[in-house]
Amino acid sequence: MSETFEIIWDAADESDTVRLAETLAGWAAPGTVLALDGDLGAGKTRFSQAFAKGIGVPGVVNSPTFTIIKEYKGAQLPLYHMDVYRLSEPEADELGLDDYFFGDGVTIVEWASLIEALLPPDRLQMYLAHTGGETRRITITGIGEPYAAWCRQLQGMGAR
Ligand SMILES: Nc1ncnc2c1ncn2[C@@H]1O[C@H](COP(=O)(O)OP(=O)(O)O)[C@@H](O)[C@H]1O
Ligand SMILES: [Mg+2]
């Protein structure tokens, strides 16, 4: 079993979500996988936009709800941004997602729990919960290295 480490990042407003995304973008490497869940409007796409900017993706990052997967060329790393809300697990399996997960870039999956069986074992899981106007409670679970270490680092930055 891989080591797991869970923390909570309390975002008082959008800038706190952006700060989290920018921090993680600075740590990302080829093969990094971020598995996002949480209600509609919780901020999965907003987080992804800030992360994309953090790895040097120019221009606008939209929700890939209808396209399922969008690829971006970041200055630091490519980004594979997925939204699997409209896919069944067997349909997602047909897409050969391992080419992305174990590829040269970073993969962010919105609604990742819908395809949990297809996700790589080691990943950073994030559950974004809407807790009021602009407040969000982001539960972050690092599974395996380096993700567990990232969580320990985030604790030093104010996560609980
Ligand atoms: N703390 C916050 N973190 C992220 N988004 C926030 C926050 N506060 C307000 N928002 C707003 O909430 C919305 C989140 O939408 P979006 O990222 O598309 O959600 P999702 O992809 O989870 O459905 C955006 O309009 C964003 O500006
Ligand atoms: Mg979204």
Side-chain angles (χ1 to χ4, degrees), residues 39-46 48 62-65 81-83 110-111:
D39 301 335
L40 203 63
K44 300 179 296 298
T45 298
R46 184 65 191 91
S48 302
N62 291 315
S63 173
T65 307
H81 187 200
M82 305 179 185
D83 183 329
E110 297 194 29
W111 302 100

Side-chain angles (χ1 to χ4, degrees), residues 11-18 37-49 63 83 110-111 128 130 132-136 138:
D13 56 27
E14 208 171 304
S15 73
D16 281 341
T17 302
V18 168
D37 284 285
D39 301 335
L40 203 63
K44 300 179 296 298
T45 298
R46 184 65 191 91
F47 169 91
S48 302
Q49 290 165 339
S63 173
D83 183 329
E110 297 194 29
W111 302 100
L128 290 84
H130 198 303
E134 274 202 51
T135 62
R136 304 288 187 272
I138 307 177

